[in-house]
Coordinates of all heavy atoms in Angstrom, one line a residue:
L221 N -13.4 -15.0 -7.5 CA -13.0 -16.4 -7.5 C -11.6 -16.6 -7.0 O -10.8 -15.6 -7.1 CB -13.1 -16.9 -9.0 CG -14.5 -17.1 -9.5 CD1 -14.5 -17.4 -11.0 CD2 -15.3 -18.1 -8.7
N222 N -11.3 -17.7 -6.5 CA -10.0 -18.1 -6.0 C -9.6 -19.4 -6.7 O -10.5 -20.1 -7.2 CB -9.9 -18.3 -4.5 CG -9.9 -17.0 -3.8 OD1 -8.9 -16.3 -3.6 ND2 -11.1 -16.5 -3.3
F223 N -8.3 -19.7 -6.7 CA -7.9 -21.0 -7.3 C -8.7 -22.2 -6.7 O -9.0 -23.1 -7.5 CB -6.4 -21.2 -7.1 CG -5.9 -22.5 -7.7 CD1 -5.6 -22.6 -9.1 CD2 -5.8 -23.6 -6.9 CE1 -5.2 -23.8 -9.6 CE2 -5.4 -24.8 -7.5 CZ -5.1 -24.9 -8.8
F224 N -8.9 -22.1 -5.4 CA -9.6 -23.3 -4.8 C -11.0 -23.5 -5.3 O -11.5 -24.6 -5.2 CB -9.5 -23.2 -3.3 CG -10.2 -22.1 -2.6 CD1 -11.6 -22.0 -2.5 CD2 -9.4 -21.1 -2.0 CE1 -12.2 -21.0 -1.9 CE2 -10.1 -20.0 -1.4 CZ -11.4 -20.0 -1.3
L227 N -11.0 -26.3 -7.5 CA -10.9 -27.6 -6.8 C -12.3 -28.0 -6.2 O -12.7 -29.2 -6.2 CB -9.8 -27.6 -5.8 CG -8.4 -27.2 -6.3 CD1 -7.5 -27.2 -5.1 CD2 -7.9 -28.2 -7.3
Y233 N -11.1 -30.4 -3.1 CA -10.6 -29.4 -2.1 C -10.8 -30.0 -0.7 O -11.4 -31.0 -0.5 CB -11.4 -28.1 -2.2 CG -10.8 -26.9 -1.5 CD1 -9.5 -26.6 -1.6 CD2 -11.6 -26.2 -0.6 CE1 -8.9 -25.6 -0.9 CE2 -11.1 -25.1 0.1 CZ -9.8 -24.8 0.0 OH -9.2 -23.8 0.7
I304 N -10.2 -12.9 1.5 CA -9.4 -14.1 1.6 C -8.0 -13.9 1.0 O -7.0 -14.3 1.6 CB -10.1 -15.2 0.8 CG1 -11.5 -15.5 1.5 CG2 -9.3 -16.5 0.7 CD1 -12.3 -16.5 0.8
T305 N -8.0 -13.2 -0.2 CA -6.7 -13.1 -0.9 C -5.7 -12.3 -0.1 O -4.6 -12.8 0.1 CB -7.0 -12.4 -2.3 OG1 -8.1 -13.1 -2.9 CG2 -5.8 -12.6 -3.2
T308 N -5.3 -13.8 3.7 CA -4.4 -14.9 3.8 C -2.9 -14.4 3.8 O -2.1 -14.8 4.6 CB -4.6 -15.9 2.6 OG1 -5.9 -16.4 2.7 CG2 -3.5 -17.0 2.7
G329 N 4.6 -17.7 -7.9 CA 3.2 -17.5 -8.5 C 2.9 -16.0 -8.2 O 1.7 -15.7 -7.9
A330 N 3.8 -15.1 -8.5 CA 3.7 -13.7 -8.0 C 2.6 -12.9 -8.7 O 2.2 -11.9 -8.2 CB 5.1 -13.0 -8.1
A331 N 2.2 -13.4 -9.9 CA 1.1 -12.6 -10.6 C -0.3 -13.1 -10.3 O -1.3 -12.5 -10.7 CB 1.4 -12.6 -12.1
G332 N -0.4 -14.2 -9.5 CA -1.7 -14.7 -9.2 C -2.4 -13.9 -8.1 O -1.8 -12.9 -7.6
G333 N -3.5 -14.4 -7.6 CA -4.2 -13.6 -6.6 C -3.4 -13.4 -5.3 O -3.1 -12.2 -5.0
V334 N -3.1 -14.4 -4.6 CA -2.4 -14.2 -3.3 C -0.9 -13.8 -3.6 O -0.3 -13.1 -2.8 CB -2.4 -15.5 -2.4 CG1 -3.8 -15.9 -2.0 CG2 -1.7 -16.7 -3.1
G335 N -0.4 -14.1 -4.8 CA 1.0 -13.7 -5.2 C 1.1 -12.2 -5.3 O 2.0 -11.6 -4.7
C352 N 8.6 -14.2 -8.6 CA 8.9 -15.3 -9.4 C 7.6 -15.8 -10.1 O 6.6 -16.0 -9.4 CB 9.5 -16.5 -8.5 SG 10.7 -15.9 -7.4
A353 N 7.7 -15.9 -11.4 CA 6.5 -16.3 -12.1 C 6.9 -17.0 -13.5 O 8.1 -17.0 -13.8 CB 5.6 -15.2 -12.4
S354 N 5.9 -17.5 -14.2 CA 6.3 -18.3 -15.4 C 6.3 -17.6 -16.7 O 6.6 -18.3 -17.7 CB 5.2 -19.4 -15.5 OG 3.9 -18.9 -15.8
S355 N 6.1 -16.3 -16.8 CA 6.2 -15.6 -18.1 C 6.7 -14.2 -17.9 O 6.5 -13.6 -16.8 CB 4.9 -15.6 -18.8 OG 4.0 -14.7 -18.2
K358 N 3.9 -11.8 -17.0 CA 3.5 -11.8 -15.5 C 4.6 -11.1 -14.7 O 4.2 -10.4 -13.8 CB 3.4 -13.3 -15.0 CG 2.2 -14.0 -15.6 CD 2.0 -15.4 -14.9 CE 0.7 -16.0 -15.4 NZ 0.5 -17.3 -14.7
Y373 N 10.8 -18.4 -13.6 CA 11.1 -19.8 -13.2 C 10.8 -20.8 -14.3 O 11.1 -22.0 -14.1 CB 10.7 -20.2 -11.8 CG 9.2 -20.0 -11.5 CD1 8.1 -20.3 -12.4 CD2 8.9 -19.6 -10.2 CE1 6.8 -20.1 -12.0 CE2 7.5 -19.4 -9.8 CZ 6.5 -19.7 -10.7 OH 5.2 -19.6 -10.3
P397 N 2.7 -20.3 -2.8 CA 1.3 -20.8 -3.0 C 1.2 -21.8 -4.1 O 0.2 -22.1 -4.6 CB 0.5 -19.5 -3.4 CG 1.6 -18.6 -4.0 CD 2.9 -19.0 -3.5
V398 N 2.4 -22.2 -4.7 CA 2.4 -23.0 -5.9 C 2.8 -24.5 -5.6 O 2.1 -25.4 -6.2 CB 3.4 -22.4 -6.9 CG1 3.5 -23.2 -8.2 CG2 3.0 -20.9 -7.2
Y402 N 8.6 -26.3 -7.6 CA 9.2 -25.1 -7.3 C 9.7 -25.0 -5.8 O 10.6 -24.2 -5.5 CB 8.3 -23.9 -7.6 CG 7.9 -23.8 -9.0 CD1 6.6 -23.9 -9.4 CD2 8.9 -23.5 -10.0 CE1 6.2 -23.7 -10.7 CE2 8.5 -23.4 -11.3 CZ 7.2 -23.5 -11.7 OH 6.8 -23.4 -13.0
V418 N 4.3 -22.1 3.7 CA 3.5 -23.1 2.9 C 2.1 -22.5 2.8 O 1.3 -22.5 3.7 CB 3.5 -24.4 3.6 CG1 2.7 -25.4 2.8 CG2 4.9 -24.9 3.9
V419 N 1.7 -22.0 1.6 CA 0.4 -21.4 1.4 C -0.5 -22.2 0.6 O -1.7 -22.3 0.8 CB 0.6 -20.0 0.7 CG1 -0.7 -19.3 0.6 CG2 1.6 -19.1 1.6
G420 N 0.0 -22.9 -0.5 CA -0.9 -23.7 -1.3 C -0.1 -24.4 -2.4 O 1.1 -24.4 -2.5
F421 N -0.9 -25.2 -3.2 CA -0.3 -26.1 -4.1 C -1.0 -26.0 -5.5 O -1.5 -27.0 -6.0 CB -0.5 -27.6 -3.6 CG 0.0 -27.7 -2.1 CD1 -1.0 -27.8 -1.1 CD2 1.3 -27.6 -1.8 CE1 -0.6 -27.8 0.2 CE2 1.7 -27.6 -0.4 CZ 0.7 -27.8 0.6
A422 N -0.9 -24.8 -6.0 CA -1.6 -24.5 -7.3 C -1.1 -25.4 -8.4 O -1.8 -25.7 -9.4 CB -1.5 -23.0 -7.7
A423 N 0.2 -25.8 -8.3 CA 0.8 -26.7 -9.4 C 0.2 -28.1 -9.3 O 0.4 -28.9 -10.2 CB 2.3 -26.8 -9.2
G424 N -0.5 -28.4 -8.3 CA -1.2 -29.7 -8.2 C -0.5 -30.7 -7.3 O -1.2 -31.4 -6.5
V444 N 0.4 -22.0 6.7 CA -0.5 -20.8 6.6 C -1.9 -21.4 6.4 O -2.2 -22.0 5.3 CB -0.2 -19.9 5.5 CG1 -1.2 -18.7 5.4 CG2 1.3 -19.3 5.7
F445 N -2.8 -21.3 7.3 CA -4.2 -21.8 7.1 C -5.2 -20.7 7.6 O -5.6 -20.6 8.8 CB -4.4 -23.1 8.0 CG -5.7 -23.8 7.7 CD1 -6.6 -23.4 6.8 CD2 -6.0 -25.0 8.4 CE1 -7.8 -24.0 6.6 CE2 -7.1 -25.7 8.2 CZ -8.1 -25.2 7.3
W446 N -5.5 -19.8 6.7 CA -6.3 -18.6 7.0 C -7.6 -19.0 7.6 O -8.1 -18.4 8.6 CB -6.5 -17.7 5.7 CG -7.2 -16.5 6.0 CD1 -6.7 -15.3 6.5 CD2 -8.6 -16.2 5.7 NE1 -7.7 -14.4 6.6 CE2 -8.9 -14.9 6.0 CE3 -9.6 -17.0 5.1 CZ2 -10.1 -14.3 5.9 CZ3 -10.9 -16.4 5.0 CH2 -11.1 -15.1 5.3
G447 N -8.3 -20.0 7.0 CA -9.6 -20.4 7.4 C -9.6 -20.8 8.9 O -10.6 -20.6 9.6
I493 N -8.5 -19.5 -14.7 CA -7.6 -19.6 -13.5 C -6.9 -20.9 -13.6 O -5.6 -21.0 -13.4 CB -8.6 -19.7 -12.3 CG1 -9.2 -18.3 -12.1 CG2 -7.8 -20.1 -11.0 CD1 -10.2 -18.2 -10.9
A494 N -7.5 -22.0 -14.0 CA -6.9 -23.3 -14.1 C -5.7 -23.3 -15.1 O -4.8 -24.1 -15.0 CB -7.9 -24.4 -14.4
A495 N -5.9 -22.5 -16.2 CA -4.9 -22.4 -17.2 C -3.8 -21.5 -17.0 O -3.0 -21.2 -17.9 CB -5.6 -22.1 -18.6
R496 N -3.7 -20.9 -15.8 CA -2.6 -20.0 -15.4 C -2.6 -18.7 -16.2 O -1.6 -18.0 -16.3 CB -1.2 -20.6 -15.5 CG -0.9 -21.8 -14.7 CD 0.3 -22.5 -15.1 NE 1.5 -22.1 -14.5 CZ 2.7 -22.8 -14.5 NH1 2.7 -24.0 -15.0 NH2 3.8 -22.3 -14.0
V498 N -4.5 -15.9 -15.4 CA -5.0 -14.8 -14.7 C -3.9 -14.0 -14.0 O -3.0 -14.6 -13.4 CB -6.0 -15.3 -13.6 CG1 -6.4 -14.3 -12.6 CG2 -7.3 -15.8 -14.4
G500 N -3.8 -11.2 -10.9 CA -4.7 -10.6 -9.9 C -6.0 -11.4 -9.8 O -5.9 -12.6 -9.8
K501 N -7.1 -10.7 -9.7 CA -8.4 -11.4 -9.4 C -9.3 -11.5 -10.6 O -9.4 -10.6 -11.5 CB -9.1 -10.6 -8.3 CG -8.4 -10.5 -7.0 CD -8.2 -11.9 -6.4 CE -9.4 -12.5 -5.9 NZ -9.2 -13.9 -5.3
Ligands
NAP104 N1 -3.4 -21.4 3.0 C1 -4.5 -20.6 2.9 O1 -5.1 -20.3 3.8 C2 -4.8 -20.2 1.5 C3 -5.8 -19.2 1.2 C4 -6.0 -18.8 -0.1 C5 -5.4 -19.5 -1.1 N2 -4.6 -20.5 -0.9 C6 -4.0 -21.3 -2.0 O2 -3.1 -20.5 -2.6 C7 -2.9 -21.0 -4.0 C8 -3.0 -19.8 -5.0 O3 -4.3 -19.3 -4.9 P1 -4.8 -18.1 -5.9 O4 -6.3 -17.9 -5.7 O5 -3.9 -16.9 -5.6 O6 -4.5 -18.7 -7.3 P2 -4.2 -18.0 -8.7 O7 -4.6 -16.6 -8.7 O8 -4.7 -19.0 -9.7 O9 -2.5 -18.1 -8.7 C9 -1.9 -19.3 -8.7 C10 -0.5 -19.2 -9.4 O10 0.1 -20.5 -9.3 C11 0.9 -20.7 -10.4 N3 0.7 -22.0 -11.0 C12 1.7 -22.9 -11.1 N4 1.3 -24.1 -11.7 C13 -0.1 -23.9 -11.8 C14 -1.1 -24.7 -12.3 N5 -0.8 -26.0 -12.7 N6 -2.4 -24.3 -12.3 C15 -2.6 -23.0 -11.9 N7 -1.7 -22.2 -11.4 C16 -0.4 -22.6 -11.4 C17 0.5 -19.6 -11.5 O11 1.6 -18.7 -11.6 P3 2.8 -19.0 -12.7 O12 2.1 -19.3 -14.0 O13 3.5 -17.7 -12.7 O14 3.5 -20.2 -12.2 C18 -0.7 -18.9 -10.9 O15 -0.6 -17.4 -11.1 C19 -3.9 -22.1 -4.1 O16 -3.3 -23.3 -4.0 C20 -4.9 -21.8 -3.0 O17 -5.6 -22.9 -2.6 C21 -4.3 -20.9 0.4

Side-chain angles (χ1 to χ4, degrees):
L221 290 172
N222 285 275
F223 179 83
F224 61 74
L227 302 178
Y233 191 50
I304 297 177
T305 313
T308 297
V334 297
C352 310
S354 66
S355 74
K358 288 185 174 184
Y373 51 41
V398 180
Y402 299 119
V418 180
V419 181
F421 313 105
V444 177
F445 188 2
W446 182 79
I493 293 174
R496 294 166 90 163
V498 167
K501 297 296 294 179

